[in-house]
Amino acid sequence: MVLMTITFGILQIIPPVKVKNRSTKLLEEIPHFIGYMSTLATSGLSLEEIFKAIAKEETDEDIVKDARFITRNIEILGMDLITAVKDLINRTPPGPYSELLEGAIITSQSGGDLKEYFNATAKVQLEEKKMLLQKTTESLGSVAEIYTILLIVFPLLAVIMLSIMGIMSPSLGGFDLLTLMNILTFAVIPLSGVLMLVMMDTMVPKR
């Protein structure tokens, strides 16, 4: 019974995690691919041809996979472009990427200029990327201050205090002061450093 409950819980958690991971990847990829889309549109390619060109890219990025999905729907399943893209939108988490696809469909259907649409969207995405990087930089600055306090200032003060206390008493709370200093030096500080590095890595955009 317990095993079934755990399994059920895991199965409930996996889909939202996958959706979140996909959303994160798409947000990271959009600013890079939208410029490519704009270039392709400038060269005179239609929306369908743009997706087919992206589908030929030899990468495993999500937007390339989506372009292959659209191309498959058109060439193998016989869907028209609009239906194929809408099918992808239905499988895509809500956000800037799905809005980009919907806007591309509307622009294509209304006979609008895809180049202008992608250029305008690219400017918005780049501005948002710039703001995100600024926030990340500010956050990293705060983390750097915490790093300095916890891993440089605090250990020095702790060693000085333990050294002074060692003159008066060889132990603290039943623990040998030398042992405490060794734990601080070889366990607490390295572990804290690793945790800080992991936290900083999660804060920095991968692209």
Side-chain angles (χ1 to χ4, degrees):
M1 184 65 180
V2 175
L3 181 60
M4 290 179 62
T5 303
I6 294 174
T7 304
F8 179 77
I10 293 174
L11 292 176
Q12 292 296 312
I13 292 173
I14 289 176
V17 170
K18 286 186 175 181
V19 170
K20 185 176 181 180
N21 289 340
R22 175 166 162 76
S23 298
T24 302
K25 288 181 181 179
L26 290 172
L27 283 174
E28 293 174 352
E29 294 175 11
I30 287 175
H32 303 275
F33 273 95
I34 199 167
Y36 182 40
M37 290 178 173
S38 177
T39 302
L40 294 174
T42 303
S43 65
L45 295 184
S46 65
L47 184 59
E48 180 177 338
E49 291 170 331
I50 289 173
F51 283 122
K52 288 182 178 180
I54 295 174
K56 294 178 182 178
E57 295 294 318
E58 296 181 355
T59 66
D60 290 328
E61 293 172 303
D62 278 28
I63 291 181
V64 175
K65 292 178 181 178
D66 289 346
R68 291 170 185 163
F69 178 81
I70 292 172
T71 303
R72 185 211 66 179
N73 282 353
I74 295 172
E75 295 182 347
I76 298 178
L77 301 182
M79 295 182 183
D80 60 88
L81 174 64
I82 305 303
T83 304
V85 176
K86 286 184 177 179
D87 186 30
L88 175 62
I89 292 174
N90 292 333
R91 301 166 182 263
T92 302
Y97 181 57
S98 60
E99 293 172 2
L100 169 67
L101 295 175
E102 290 173 354
I105 289 177
I106 294 172
T107 304
S108 179
Q109 285 181 314
S110 62
D113 191 337
L114 283 173
K115 180 188 73 172
E116 293 298 326
Y117 170 71
F118 285 129
N119 282 339
T121 309
K123 290 179 181 178
V124 173
Q125 290 295 327
L126 288 175
E127 283 298 319
E128 291 181 354
K129 184 76 172 180
K130 183 179 178 181
M131 292 174 61
L132 176 62
L133 289 175
Q134 288 177 343
K135 290 181 180 179
T136 302
T137 302
E138 293 173 359
S139 299
L140 288 175
S142 300
V143 172
E145 293 177 2
I146 296 173
Y147 180 92
T148 302
I149 294 172
L150 290 181
L151 299 181
I152 298 178
V153 177
F154 171 73
L156 287 175
L157 291 176
V159 169
I160 293 172
M161 290 176 61
L162 290 174
S163 299
I164 295 173
M165 293 174 65
I167 298 174
M168 298 180 290
S169 174
S171 62
L172 177 65
F175 292 96
D176 181 66
L177 289 179
L178 183 59
T179 302
L180 291 176
M181 292 177 66
N182 287 333
I183 292 174
L184 177 67
T185 304
F186 299 109
V188 175
I189 295 176
L191 181 60
S192 300
V194 171
L195 291 175
M196 293 291 290
L197 289 175
V198 171
M199 184 172 67
M200 292 174 69
D201 182 66
T202 58
M203 294 171 62
V204 177
K206 299 300 181 290
R207 298 189 57 161

